[in-house]
Amino acid sequence: MSEESTDKKYGIEDLQRKLYSQEGGNFKVRRSTLSPNYKNITRTWMDDALNTGSAKSPHSWLVKLFIGSVIFFIGAMALGSYLFFQNSSVISNANIDLSVKGPTEIKAGDQVDLQVLIANKNKVPIKSVQLMSAYATGTRMAGNINQELLHATLDLGEIPSGGVANQTVSALVFGKENETKTITLKLRYSVADSNNFFEKETTYNLKISASPIDLTVDMPSEMNSGENITIRITAMDNSPSPLKNILLGINYPPGFTFKESDVKPSYGNNRWFFGDMESGVVRKITITGMIEGSPEDLKSFNITTGIQGTLNPQNVSIFYNNIFKTLAIKKPFLAITLNGGEKRNLSMEGNASQDFTLTWANNLLTTIVDGVVSLSLDGNVLDKQAVGVARGYYSSYDNVITWNKSTEPSLGAMDPGSTNTLTFKLGTLPLVISENQSLKNPVINLRITIKGTRVSPGFANETIQTDLTKTIKVNTKVELITDALYTSGPFTNTGGVPPQVDKATTYTIKWAVFNSSNDMQNTEAEAVLPPGVTWTNQTSPPNESISYISQDHKVIWRIGYLKGGAGISESPRQAFFQVSLRPSITNIGSNAPLVGAANFQGTDTFTGNHLKLHNEAGLTTYIKNDPQFQYGQDKVTP
């Protein structure tokens, strides 16, 4: 081993011995000796600054760069200021005043004249100046109320340095009372030797102090459920100039049933078109209906008026006025309900009878004595002979059912919170009166009154009374008559009669719909073709929508609107289509099916009920109504 290795090993062992020895020791550390190496370096920054010799500060170039930047910035600011105030091509938007003077409130329909002042305080002129104005919907052109005004532009040309331009902006402004209308004014201009345009904008607000049409609505603020309500609407042209194409509408709340109005509605039962109204003209409408709801319900009516819409003439496009009226359904002291207060439309069938229930309740904290309930009946379909009453009396002379304490003891003393029921039966007449006459929109009207005397200190002999009106509407009577023909109808049929196995014979199918009383909508009839029968794609008349759904083997006749009286006071709706029968050997000696049982459905527009009709039997080769049919021609032969 070399000497160097021995020294390293010894050194490591010796170090370990010293580190882990418990005896301690005299450790000597051998240090190297360093000699200073002096250089010609200044000792302080001041010495460096005063030294004119060859040694330089390493930061001197940064100082020079900073000083140069400051000088450049000051120079640029000075040059920019000079150009801003002296150069003829520089302009400031802040040096252009755009101010507007005019009224802050106007009556709707009045002409507003706004004085617009434009002052150019720049040292250069502004060129191609345009004053643009934008108006709210419903604004009309001054001098021409028929012309809508949404935007207008005035060319002012050039305004010199220090120059002022005055302009008047005019328009007819409409709106609802207390509504704020905003007019936006924008100035657009350019400067010499520039293709750029600059803009400055301001807005002007106008408050509508009065509507062009004054609306007043007279109606109760609270009522009992089931009572008749009268709404009186008055509209007056409050504008200094005539108003064009005026429409008034009212939105009814749920639970309101429209009965009539003294002025016939133009659309539905809640839109009236007044047309043109001269200044000071007054229009009045009285609406009668019935309101139903639960105690403490709030019913809101919204009455609006304005310009009729062009795309939808049933709606107001520009509103001139609107009023909300709220009616509260109060809880009567002595309540009476029909059929448990059912909110659905009451309806019956023609030539039928139905049981009804009246329920009364004393909502006072005191007793009510000597109670009397009376029910008055009328209507064009009431069958007097079918009226029945339990524990009451029916007077056929004046059509009034009466209950009192002699017939119903519970009415003698109605305790606080007590309730009881009264039952009766009503019947309807047949809807078809004669061969060519039927009842139109048949109804039974009910007017119910309950009254009694309050027994309580301070309320001696006070009569408590509650009235209730109801209308029972009778559904129309619909019939779908189906026939199979061979020698009559719009088509020429082929094949043998009687039909033969595996050979095709065509037949004409006739459907006819009879509707007794009420108009119907969304009506249709359908039936399925059985196996062995195919669709020939022959239909008649061409204006009827008759189609075949091959995947379902279904024929559909989309009738649509069906007038009341069809088949009675006028011709029935009819449709014809042709089918082809190829009998199977299993049909020998029997009638072969041609069309399955037909179904009919549609909505009665008077009662609002969806009616359905199902024919129990379909059509077969037994074509008994064919003019040339003979017995035995219906049986399939080999």
Side-chain angles (χ1 to χ4, degrees), residues 573-618:
R573 286 284 291 275
Q574 295 185 133
F576 299 85
F577 59 92
Q578 188 185 61
V579 296
S580 177
L581 168 69
R582 193 179 296 273
S584 171
I585 194 171
T586 58
N587 299 126
I588 293 177
S590 63
N591 299 332
L594 294 176
V595 180
N599 298 315
F600 173 89
Q601 62 177 344
T603 300
D604 187 321
T605 60
F606 180 60
T607 65
N609 293 332
H610 188 73
L611 307 181
K612 292 185 177 182
L613 178 67
H614 177 69
N615 285 354
E616 295 297 332

Side-chain angles (χ1 to χ4, degrees), residues 172-191:
L172 299 177
V173 179
F174 292 90
K176 296 182 291 186
E177 189 172 347
N178 295 322
E179 186 179 12
T180 298
K181 295 290 186 178
T182 299
I183 300 175
T184 301
L185 298 165
K186 182 184 293 184
L187 190 70
R188 192 171 186 261
Y189 62 91
S190 66
V191 295

Side-chain angles (χ1 to χ4, degrees), residues 6 102 186 202 219 242 269 308 337 373 382 388 425 457 476 481 494 542 562 579 600 619:
T6 304
K186 182 184 293 184
T202 188
M219 59 177 285
N269 60 13
Q308 182 185 41
T337 58
V373 177
L382 175 65
K425 177 184 289 186
T476 191
I481 306 299
T494 59
L562 181 62
V579 296
F600 173 89
L619 297 174

Side-chain angles (χ1 to χ4, degrees), residues 258-280:
F258 174 87
K259 290 190 173 180
E260 61 180 0
S261 64
D262 60 344
V263 179
K264 185 179 179 180
S266 305
Y267 305 99
N269 60 13
N270 64 340
R271 295 289 187 271
W272 290 263
F273 180 64
F274 293 157
D276 299 342
M277 290 182 65
E278 298 291 335
S279 179

Side-chain angles (χ1 to χ4, degrees), residues 348-619:
M348 292 181 64
E349 301 299 326
N351 196 24
S353 62
Q354 187 171 321
D355 292 326
F356 295 88
T357 300
L358 288 174
T359 303
W360 60 259
N362 179 8
N363 295 318
L364 291 173
L365 298 178
T366 59
T367 299
I368 298 176
V369 299
D370 298 331
V372 176
V373 177
S374 62
L375 169 60
S376 299
L377 304 169
D378 65 43
N380 58 355
V381 74
L382 175 65
D383 184 359
K384 292 184 178 183
Q385 295 183 355
V387 176
V389 57
R391 304 192 308 275
Y393 172 73
Y394 170 58
S395 171
S396 59
Y397 173 75
D398 53 7
N399 286 331
V400 176
I401 301 175
T402 304
W403 295 267
N404 54 35
K405 62 183 179 181
S406 63
T407 61
E408 174 52 58
S410 64
L411 294 172
M414 295 176 278
D415 295 328
S418 63
T419 182
N420 208 340
T421 58
L422 308 169
T423 60
F424 62 98
K425 177 184 289 186
L426 298 179
T428 58
L429 296 169
L431 300 182
V432 178
I433 301 173
S434 63
E435 185 177 343
N436 58 359
Q437 186 180 4
S438 62
L439 295 175
K440 184 70 172 178
N441 296 340
V443 298
I444 299 177
N445 297 312
L446 293 78
R447 292 186 297 274
I448 308 161
T449 298
I450 181 170
K451 60 183 178 180
T453 302
R454 176 191 290 200
V455 179
S456 177
F459 296 97
N461 299 323
E462 180 190 14
T463 299
I464 304 298
Q465 178 174 319
T466 299
D467 299 314
L468 177 67
T469 61
K470 289 286 185 179
T471 298
I472 302 174
K473 297 181 178 181
V474 179
N475 291 318
T476 191
K477 180 71 172 179
V478 182
E479 284 189 89
L480 175 61
I481 306 299
T482 63
D483 258 326
L485 307 168
Y486 184 84
T487 62
S488 65
F491 315 120
T492 299
N493 291 301
T494 59
V497 174
Q500 292 181 282
V501 171
D502 297 335
K503 292 183 180 180
T505 299
T506 62
Y507 291 87
T508 297
I509 306 302
K510 175 185 175 182
W511 284 353
V513 178
F514 296 76
N515 180 24
S516 67
S517 305
N518 312 329
D519 294 345
M520 299 190 71
Q521 62 184 6
N522 302 323
T523 60
E524 65 178 30
E526 64 178 31
V528 174
L529 299 186
V533 177
T534 58
W535 174 256
T536 68
N537 202 30
Q538 296 293 315
T539 65
S540 182
N543 61 323
E544 292 290 351
S545 176
I546 310 167
S547 58
Y548 179 66
I549 311 300
S550 58
Q551 60 268 31
D552 299 326
H553 305 286
K554 183 182 292 184
V555 181
I556 299 179
W557 178 23
R558 293 180 174 87
I559 306 167
Y561 182 81
L562 181 62
K563 194 173 181 180
I568 301 169
S569 57
E570 57 185 63
S571 299
R573 286 284 291 275
Q574 295 185 133
F576 299 85
F577 59 92
Q578 188 185 61
V579 296
S580 177
L581 168 69
R582 193 179 296 273
S584 171
I585 194 171
T586 58
N587 299 126
I588 293 177
S590 63
N591 299 332
L594 294 176
V595 180
N599 298 315
F600 173 89
Q601 62 177 344
T603 300
D604 187 321
T605 60
F606 180 60
T607 65
N609 293 332
H610 188 73
L611 307 181
K612 292 185 177 182
L613 178 67
H614 177 69
N615 285 354
E616 295 297 332
L619 297 174

Side-chain angles (χ1 to χ4, degrees), residues 186-351:
K186 182 184 293 184
L187 190 70
R188 192 171 186 261
Y189 62 91
S190 66
V191 295
D193 302 325
S194 174
N195 293 326
N196 295 327
F197 280 88
F198 306 92
E199 293 181 349
K200 185 160 189 172
E201 183 179 298
T202 188
T203 57
Y204 192 83
N205 293 325
L206 277 170
K207 183 180 179 182
I208 305 298
S209 60
S211 169
I213 295 180
D214 283 340
L215 271 182
T216 57
V217 180
D218 180 23
M219 59 177 285
S221 59
E222 63 176 18
M223 294 185 70
N224 292 325
S225 177
E227 287 188 319
N228 285 330
I229 177 175
T230 300
I231 305 170
R232 296 180 176 87
I233 303 173
T234 302
M236 185 182 74
D237 184 350
N238 191 38
S239 173
S241 54
L243 299 176
K244 304 290 185 179
N245 299 325
I246 300 303
L247 182 72
L248 181 141
I250 177 170
N251 292 331
Y252 305 121
F256 176 83
T257 301
F258 174 87
K259 290 190 173 180
E260 61 180 0
S261 64
D262 60 344
V263 179
K264 185 179 179 180
S266 305
Y267 305 99
N269 60 13
N270 64 340
R271 295 289 187 271
W272 290 263
F273 180 64
F274 293 157
D276 299 342
M277 290 182 65
E278 298 291 335
S279 179
V281 168
V282 176
R283 300 290 179 88
K284 295 183 178 181
I285 299 172
T286 300
I287 303 168
T288 303
M290 184 181 67
I291 192 72
E292 294 180 286
S294 302
E296 302 180 0
D297 278 355
L298 294 178
K299 304 292 184 177
S300 295
F301 296 78
N302 183 20
I303 301 92
T304 61
T305 185
I307 297 178
Q308 182 185 41
T310 54
L311 296 178
N312 188 349
Q314 299 187 34
N315 289 336
V316 172
S317 62
I318 299 173
F319 289 91
Y320 284 163
N321 207 340
N322 74 306
I323 292 179
F324 280 93
K325 284 287 187 177
T326 301
L327 179 148
I329 303 297
K330 63 183 181 180
K331 187 175 184 180
F333 295 153
L334 189 56
I336 187 80
T337 58
L338 178 64
N339 282 8
E342 184 177 4
K343 296 184 179 180
R344 295 182 303 169
N345 292 333
L346 293 172
S347 61
M348 292 181 64
E349 301 299 326
N351 196 24

